[in-house]
């Protein structure tokens, strides 16, 4: 492969092209994606057994364009299918010019990790979009970047953490940068804040759940940051406000996945009061569809399907990642032609199940309780669904797991129950359970609400 200097040159040249393509009209971007999809489908049909079967089912033939109707009839590629037979989903002949095969894996925060093959070519392209996020938001790359996320056992521990001279390799940042300091996510919240204040960092890259923990942390040192960049977890309703209040910083969010790379980046010029994201359409197609597989209208939520345009080792074609997002308007006032997503709502797993099986997103607004109650951590788990047996209604059951600084009074427990009940559909019972701590998943991520039904 080319040396670092050549890679840096390629990275700069690609970044220059991205600076132009972002301003193309939506129709031009759609045409650009169609041109990229055509060779991808032919490669998948010829070299990926499982993909050939899918494409045959909708009448695809090499060299012939796939109609919009046939594309939408193409059954989503599921994580479960890829787990059960990974060989059938891998290319038997990746293009040699795409370089060596690299391995990526989803974090497995939902208990179903997925290994995905990629190429050096696709990995280098993905790095360009991570840099684009920094450039869009005028991040000073010569300043110190602090990172709090999962590290290998024994690495990046308090009090010093780890420190390296650059934010990343030259393929990611093809010019000088400031230092990067890192701390493991499993370090306690008070120590994270103390360490962060000592580093003098201007920027923090972290999971949104870390910011929520900062919001309920006891008094102590507070860093002065310019910007917080969030990754890996869906934003909560109050995360931006918490970031401003506790850290004095604005929040910049990036939607990505281990198996798919960067997907959508927060618009740097979105109208005030919005959280628009732009799909990184030069490398990925993002569809938001309803249960029938049809595109949802602007403002509506739906399932996310992804098609990677540059991974020829294990192509993802209409891959259902398990997330829910809200379709944005046809265009953004910023003038970029990249598709707009209004909000990333998170995993299907994090939706509660209401009466009749209807799923919904809870919005408990727990930040309103943090200032009034000694809550350090919380997690909500649905254990059963409302049902009617022999004419008798049994309510759904929600467990509220709490870590508190002191025991709560009965009145305070009732305050929590009332807050939760006011935001739930149908009959529910709320069981409050106290925990010494609520650990993160092995991935380092944290889920504050999910469904785990008991038999």
């Amino acid at each position: 492969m080319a040396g670092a200097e050549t890679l840096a040159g390629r990275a700069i040249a690609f970044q220059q092209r991205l600076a132009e393509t972002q301003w193309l009209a939506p129709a031009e971007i759609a045409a650009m994606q169609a041109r990229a999809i055509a060779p991808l489908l032919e490669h998948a049909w010829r070299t990926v057994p499982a993909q050939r079967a899918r494409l045959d089912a909708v009448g695809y033939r090499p060299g012939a364009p796939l109609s919009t109707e046939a594309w939408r009839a193409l059954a989503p590629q599921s994580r479960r299918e890829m787990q059960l037979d990974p060989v059938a989903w891998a290319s038997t002949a990746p293009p040699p010019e795409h370089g060596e095969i690299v391995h990526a894996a989803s974090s497995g925060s939902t208990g179903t990790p997925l290994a995905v093959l990629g190429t050096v070519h696709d990995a280098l392209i993905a790095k360009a979009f991570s840099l684009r996020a920094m450039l869009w938001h005028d991040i000073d790359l010569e300043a110190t970047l602090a990172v709090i996320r999962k590290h290998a056992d024994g690495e990046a521990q308090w009090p010093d953490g780890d420190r390296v001279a650059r934010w990343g390799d030259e393929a990611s940042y093809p010019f000088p940068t400031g230092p990067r300091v890192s701390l493991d996510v499993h370090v306690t919240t008070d120590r994270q804040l103390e360490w962060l204040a000592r580093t003098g960092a201007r920027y923090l890259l972290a999971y949104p759940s870390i910011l929520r923990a900062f919001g309920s942390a006891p008094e102590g040192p507070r860093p002065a940051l310019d910007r917080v960049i969030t990754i890996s977890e869906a934003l909560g309703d109050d995360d931006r406000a918490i970031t401003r209040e506790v850290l004095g910083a604005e929040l910049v969010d990036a939607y990505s996945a281990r198996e798919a790379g960067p997907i959508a980046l927060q618009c740097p010029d979105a109208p005030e009061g919005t959280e628009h994201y732009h799909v990184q359409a030069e490398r990925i197609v993002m569809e938001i569809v309803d249960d029938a597989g049809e595109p949802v209208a602007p403002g509506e939520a739906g399932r996310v399907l992804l098609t990677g345009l540059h991974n020829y080792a294990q192509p993802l074609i209409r891959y259902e990642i398990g997330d829910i997002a809200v379709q944005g308007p046809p265009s953004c006032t910023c003038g970029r032609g990249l598709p707009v997503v209004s909000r990333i709502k998170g995993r299907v797993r994090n939706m509660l199940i209401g009466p009749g099986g209807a799923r919904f997103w809870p919005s408990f607004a727990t930040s309103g309780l943090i200032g009034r109650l000694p809550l350090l951590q919380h997690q909500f788990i649905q254990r059963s669904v409302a049902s009617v047996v022999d004419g008798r209604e049994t309510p759904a059951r929600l467990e509220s797991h709490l870590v508190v600084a002191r025991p709560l009074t009965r009145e305070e427990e009732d305050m929590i129950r009332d807050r939760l009940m006011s935001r739930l559909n149908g009959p529910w019972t709320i069981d409050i359970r106290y925990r010494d701590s609520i650990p993160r998943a092995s991935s380092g991520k944290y889920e504050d609400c999910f469904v785990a039904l008991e038999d």
Side-chain angles (χ1 to χ4, degrees):
M1 292 301 296
E5 183 177 354
T6 303
L7 290 179
R10 288 168 58 188
I12 291 174
F14 192 70
Q15 205 61 236
Q16 291 171 335
R17 290 199 295 274
L18 293 181
E20 298 173 357
T21 55
Q22 65 181 327
W23 301 112
L24 294 175
E28 294 177 289
I29 289 176
M32 177 179 64
Q33 290 184 323
R35 291 193 296 272
I37 287 174
L40 176 73
L41 294 183
E42 182 164 346
H43 170 77
W45 186 87
R46 295 189 185 282
T47 74
V48 184
Q51 295 287 14
R52 181 167 186 163
R54 292 176 69 222
L55 292 165
D56 282 343
V58 295
Y60 171 78
R61 291 295 176 265
L66 197 63
S67 68
T68 299
E69 293 74 17
W71 175 263
R72 291 179 182 172
L74 187 62
Q77 182 176 345
S78 77
R79 174 187 295 252
R80 184 61 174 162
E81 290 173 323
M82 296 175 68
Q83 287 176 314
L84 291 174
D85 193 359
V87 174
W89 292 94
S91 172
T92 58
E97 63 271 21
H98 283 208
E100 298 176 1
I101 300 298
V102 297
H103 296 262
S106 67
S107 62
S109 58
T110 63
T112 54
L114 174 67
V116 174
L117 302 179
T119 64
V120 168
H121 171 73
D122 186 44
L124 291 176
I125 288 176
K127 289 175 182 288
F129 291 89
S130 297
L131 176 57
R132 175 190 253 182
M134 304 297 183
L135 299 177
W136 270 8
H137 292 276
D138 296 325
I139 302 296
D140 180 1
L141 297 168
E142 295 185 355
T144 299
L145 171 68
V147 178
I148 302 178
R149 63 187 309 175
K150 180 189 176 185
H151 288 76
D153 290 345
E155 293 183 358
Q157 295 300 305
W158 189 85
D160 298 323
D162 286 346
R163 182 184 180 92
V164 294
R166 290 176 51 85
W167 285 26
D169 59 36
E170 290 191 355
S172 301
Y173 300 97
F175 32 68
T177 75
R180 185 185 76 224
V181 294
S182 303
L183 192 70
D184 184 65
V185 70
H186 295 101
V187 172
T188 60
T189 297
D190 58 337
R191 288 182 170 181
Q192 288 177 4
L193 282 166
E194 186 275 334
W195 170 84
L196 193 55
R198 272 192 289 115
T199 66
R202 286 178 57 190
Y203 305 105
L204 169 66
L205 186 148
Y207 307 132
S209 56
I210 291 173
L211 306 179
R212 290 171 217 142
F214 285 174
S216 58
E219 292 296 323
R222 292 292 187 270
L225 299 171
D226 288 350
R227 214 74 57 84
V228 174
I229 304 151
T230 47
I231 56 170
S232 297
E233 300 170 347
L235 289 181
D237 292 338
D238 307 313
D239 291 348
R240 295 182 188 277
I242 290 172
T243 303
R244 294 188 191 103
E245 181 179 345
V246 177
L247 301 176
E250 292 301 313
L251 189 152
V252 174
D253 191 39
Y255 176 41
S256 64
R258 291 274 187 88
E259 65 266 45
I263 301 169
L265 304 176
Q266 183 180 318
C267 176
D269 305 304
E272 186 175 354
T274 68
E275 300 176 8
H276 284 178
Y277 296 75
H278 282 297
V279 179
Q280 302 305 284
E282 298 94 340
R283 74 172 299 271
I284 202 161
V285 177
M286 178 177 173
E287 301 173 73
I288 305 177
V289 302
D290 60 22
D291 289 339
E294 293 297 315
V296 301
E300 292 183 355
R303 299 147 47 212
V304 174
L305 306 181
L306 302 174
T307 300
L309 300 176
H310 300 282
N311 182 1
Y312 278 58
Q314 194 169 22
L316 300 178
I317 301 173
R318 305 198 85 214
Y319 167 63
E320 184 157 9
I321 194 169
D323 288 343
I324 300 292
V326 178
Q327 181 66 56
S331 62
C332 181
T333 56
C334 74
R336 293 175 178 83
L338 300 169
V340 179
V341 177
S342 291
R343 186 172 182 186
I344 312 300
K345 302 201 74 168
R347 294 282 181 182
V348 174
R349 163 184 165 88
N350 302 127
M351 299 177 73
L352 298 184
I353 305 173
R359 286 185 174 267
F360 68 97
W361 289 97
S363 178
F364 294 135
T366 49
S367 63
L369 296 174
I370 289 174
R372 303 159 64 188
L373 301 176
L375 299 180
L376 303 179
Q377 279 184 288
H378 60 266
Q379 187 175 67
F380 306 111
I381 307 173
Q382 183 176 358
R383 293 300 191 187
S384 68
V385 179
S387 61
V388 177
V389 179
D390 296 330
R392 296 183 59 185
E393 187 175 57
T394 301
R397 184 163 67 89
L398 186 74
E399 290 180 358
S400 174
H401 292 208
L402 306 177
V403 179
V404 294
R406 61 162 175 77
L408 300 184
T409 66
R410 183 179 297 276
E411 290 74 17
E412 290 170 331
E413 289 184 347
D414 289 342
M415 184 189 303
I416 292 173
R417 288 192 177 92
D418 290 344
R419 171 65 64 101
L420 300 182
M421 287 296 295
S422 69
R423 288 163 169 80
L424 291 169
N425 300 324
W428 290 76
T429 59
I430 310 294
D431 294 338
I432 293 179
R433 302 192 176 189
Y434 294 99
R435 306 274 298 275
D436 293 332
S437 65
I438 301 175
R440 292 176 176 271
S442 59
S443 64
K445 298 180 185 180
Y446 180 81
E447 292 183 283
D448 58 7
C449 184
F450 61 91
V451 175
L453 301 181
E454 296 177 338
D455 296 333

